[in-house]
């Protein structure tokens, strides 16, 4: 939570004093010192504080609660007290947002749905990429002769972006299928 408050405050380009001032204007006064203590893990964040801070930082309590710092090592246990140790950040956020429950059957169903969506996304990226390749083939020798032409460059960028998007979606799909498989094996 402390890293989340700091991260989103800095993302919104607010100082601790400015955040404290906006909270005061919203009738939820938290001093700059108290906010700094929250950011250092030296002071707990109440539910009321969480809601007010989320509102001011233009995010949701679920986002702040499920925020994982980039530089945090892989957790050895659960992300939050009382949760199964294999719940990851994405699943935690889905649970916090009411998109799933954490019983085994719901979790398996949620991961199956993610696999289905990622398969659709991969197929879409593949279709878009094949369309761009077809356009490139239609241009034929013109591509070599007019390589610097804006339309040729845009097509080459589309292909580059498409290859990257397809690769990313295939990696996400493979990881999600692996996650689902592990969850089903441990059932």
């Amino acid at each position: 939570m402390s890293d989340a408050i700091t991260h989103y405050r800095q993302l919104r380009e607010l100082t601790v004093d400015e955040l404290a001032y906006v909270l005061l204007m919203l009738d939820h006064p938290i001093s700059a010192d108290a906010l700094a203590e929250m950011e250092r893990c030296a002071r707990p964040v109440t539910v009321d504080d969480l809601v007010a801070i989320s509102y001011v930082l233009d995010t949701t309590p679920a986002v702040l609660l499920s925020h994982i710092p980039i530089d945090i090592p892989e957790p050895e246990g659960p992300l939050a007290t009382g949760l199964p140790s294999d719940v990851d950040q994405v699943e935690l956020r889905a649970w916090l947002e009411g998109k799933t429950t954490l019983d085994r059957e719901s979790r398996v169903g949620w991961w199956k749905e993610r696999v289905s969506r990622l398969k659709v996304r991969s197929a879409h990226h593949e279709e878009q990429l094949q369309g761009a390749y077809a356009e490139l083939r239609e241009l034929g020798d013109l591509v070599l002769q007019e390589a610097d032409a804006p339309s040729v460059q845009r097509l080459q960028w589309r292909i580059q972006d498409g290859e990257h998007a397809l690769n990313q979606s295939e990696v996400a799909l493979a990881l999600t299928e692996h996650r689902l498989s592990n969850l089903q094996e441990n059932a």
Side-chain angles (χ1 to χ4, degrees):
M1 176 65 74
S2 63
D3 185 76
I5 294 170
T6 303
H7 174 80
Y8 284 94
R9 177 182 58 75
Q10 290 173 345
L11 190 65
R12 304 297 184 250
E13 297 180 353
L14 293 171
T15 66
V16 173
D17 290 324
E18 290 167 335
L19 178 56
Y21 178 76
V22 175
L23 287 165
L24 177 65
M25 294 296 100
L26 292 173
D27 291 328
H28 191 82
I30 303 174
S31 70
D33 289 340
L35 286 167
E37 288 174 356
M38 289 175 189
E39 290 186 2
R40 288 193 318 270
C41 292
R43 180 186 185 116
V45 179
T46 68
V47 173
D48 290 339
D49 295 341
L50 172 66
V51 170
I53 292 168
S54 298
Y55 176 74
V56 171
L57 296 178
D58 194 29
T59 191
T60 66
V63 168
L64 292 183
L65 285 169
S66 62
H67 176 81
I68 305 293
I70 287 176
D71 59 350
I72 193 169
E74 188 67 31
E76 294 179 15
L79 290 174
T81 305
L83 294 181
S85 61
D86 63 342
V87 172
D88 71 1
Q89 181 185 13
V90 175
E91 192 176 11
L92 173 62
R93 183 166 297 162
W95 175 67
L96 289 168
E97 293 173 347
K99 295 177 181 175
T100 187
T101 59
L102 294 181
D103 62 275
R104 180 71 56 194
E105 185 177 328
S106 295
R107 292 180 70 201
V108 167
W110 185 80
W111 283 100
K112 282 182 179 178
E113 177 62 29
R114 284 186 58 81
V115 166
S116 295
R117 284 194 314 265
L118 287 169
K119 284 181 179 178
V120 169
R121 183 180 296 164
S122 286
H124 172 73
H125 290 310
E126 177 69 30
E127 186 178 301
Q128 295 293 323
L129 186 57
Q130 291 307 319
Y133 284 141
E135 285 181 47
L136 189 64
R137 284 190 299 275
E138 286 175 14
L139 292 174
D141 291 337
L142 186 60
V143 170
L144 298 174
Q145 296 167 359
E146 300 290 328
D148 292 339
S151 59
V152 173
Q153 287 182 340
R154 280 192 301 274
L155 181 56
Q156 290 172 337
W157 292 333
R158 270 184 45 214
I159 289 171
Q160 259 184 333
D161 290 346
E163 288 172 343
H164 178 74
L166 179 60
N167 182 48
Q168 293 293 92
S169 64
E170 287 176 346
V171 168
L173 176 59
L175 291 171
T176 302
E177 287 175 330
H178 178 72
R179 180 79 178 168
L180 175 60
S181 176
N182 284 345
L183 192 58
Q184 289 172 323
E185 288 174 9
N186 294 330

